[in-house]
Amino acid sequence: MTNLSDTQILVIEDEPDLRSGLQHNLELEGFRVQTAADGREGLRKARDGQAALILLDLMLPGMPGLEVLRHLREIGRETPVIIISAKGQDRDKVQGLELGADDYLTKPFGLTELLARIRAVLRRTQAGAKAGVGDKPEASGVMRFPDLVVDWKRFSITRDGEEIQLSRYEAEILRMLIDHRGEVVSRQDLLRKVWGYVHLPTTRTVDNHIARLRKKLERDVENPVHVVTVHGLGYRFESTLLEGS
Ligand code: CA
């Protein structure tokens, strides 16, 4: 892991005691901490991209936490987010995960639990940033598909010459589909291999991420040419690898 003093955490939380308590404890652990007391200020600070991770309350003045997350992902900002929410907001938590949050914690939570989650997300994210620099020889180079170029080494993807940014989950889904191109990959396989943990309740989460991935990869999302649905079974990466890849 990188030096913690380089690792900035943005805490978006309106309860003053919790906000300052989190700041204090995270600083004691060696993190740099930025705080925001409402949703708008939180979004503004999140947009500048300084934070390596965001702790996001859901019930916030100014702008609800889910809106902050939605805006952030819409502009392509993929900073990992851990939702911290009150009890009884299970539906919001699920929605948050579908919008691209990385984990969630229910208040009240202990410091040990919080730190474990933060470290796990940072570890996964840093691994995700390196996604593609893996064991498969073909995954270390550039792969060209019609109108799509995937550079695993630089981890950049261009569509019609324009660079697009993928979230970690989207990237891992794409990687898995491309590794198995021409074959059906089931939602269960994607859940197991990409998420690797069980607290995501539905395969709908996979479908939502596939929809977001398609928006970025496909010219016409209604008629996808790269990631196609195999009815009742899952998804298949359909494009042909071009010569010279
Ligand atoms: Ca709140």
Side-chain angles (χ1 to χ4, degrees):
M1 184 174 295
T2 49
N3 192 345
L4 283 188
S5 60
D6 297 334
T7 305
Q8 179 153 303
I9 295 182
L10 171 60
V11 177
I12 308 177
E13 169 62 65
D14 61 319
E15 278 170 61
D17 288 349
L18 182 54
R19 190 173 63 245
S20 60
L22 285 170
Q23 174 166 23
H24 179 68
N25 282 298
L26 290 172
E27 283 175 352
L28 281 181
E29 290 299 315
F31 294 103
R32 284 189 297 134
V33 181
Q34 227 187 346
T35 62
D38 69 72
R40 284 184 196 287
E41 186 194 358
L43 179 60
R44 193 169 47 73
K45 289 186 172 168
R47 287 177 69 130
D48 76 16
Q50 298 292 305
L53 184 142
I54 297 168
L55 295 181
L56 178 65
D57 183 25
L58 291 183
M59 300 258 280
L60 288 167
M63 180 186 285
L66 286 179
E67 280 305 299
V68 175
L69 178 58
R70 194 192 315 272
H71 279 284
L72 212 54
R73 295 303 187 239
E74 267 173 15
I75 61 164
R77 181 67 71 203
E78 303 293 356
T79 312
V81 168
I82 298 177
I83 289 173
I84 46 177
S85 73
K87 268 201 183 112
Q89 293 182 304
D90 289 354
R91 256 193 17 214
D92 289 345
K93 284 189 297 199
V94 171
Q95 211 189 334
L97 290 169
E98 287 173 352
L99 283 171
D102 295 79
D103 206 348
Y104 64 78
L105 272 169
T106 303
K107 296 177 194 171
F109 47 81
L111 183 62
T112 314
E113 174 80 12
L114 174 69
L115 291 171
R117 300 291 187 94
I118 288 176
R119 294 201 170 106
V121 167
L122 286 174
R123 217 170 23 241
R124 289 207 305 263
T125 314
Q126 282 157 8
K130 289 183 211 130
V133 189
D135 35 15
K136 302 214 169 191
E138 67 180 16
S140 61
V142 177
M143 297 174 89
R144 288 171 219 282
F145 302 97
D147 74 39
L148 211 61
V149 179
V150 185
D151 183 340
W152 293 116
K153 211 168 213 165
R154 286 184 50 232
F155 195 59
S156 91
I157 289 153
T158 41
R159 189 187 79 178
D160 296 327
E162 252 182 68
E163 185 149 354
I164 47 181
Q165 212 181 350
L166 299 183
S167 73
R168 182 173 49 81
Y169 286 130
E170 289 160 3
E172 286 180 17
I173 289 169
L174 181 63
R175 172 104 195 262
M176 187 162 166
L177 290 173
I178 287 182
D179 279 351
H180 296 270
R181 61 189 178 279
E183 301 165 17
V184 182
V185 179
S186 74
R187 292 174 175 84
Q188 293 299 342
D189 280 344
L190 285 166
L191 265 184
R192 213 169 30 239
K193 300 232 173 88
V194 173
W195 276 268
Y197 54 103
V198 290
H199 67 236
L200 286 166
T202 68
T203 50
R204 208 158 65 86
T205 303
V206 176
D207 298 339
N208 286 328
H209 279 78
I210 291 276
R212 293 174 59 209
L213 184 60
R214 275 188 180 140
K215 250 199 212 163
K216 296 180 182 179
L217 299 185
E218 306 285 351
R219 284 187 190 162
D220 177 4
V221 290
E222 299 299 320
N223 298 291
V225 297
H226 300 297
V227 178
V228 302
T229 303
V230 182
H231 191 67
L233 292 174
Y235 297 97
R236 184 173 60 218
F237 193 82
E238 188 88 330
S239 296
T240 321
L241 187 62
L242 300 178
E243 301 243 344
S245 290

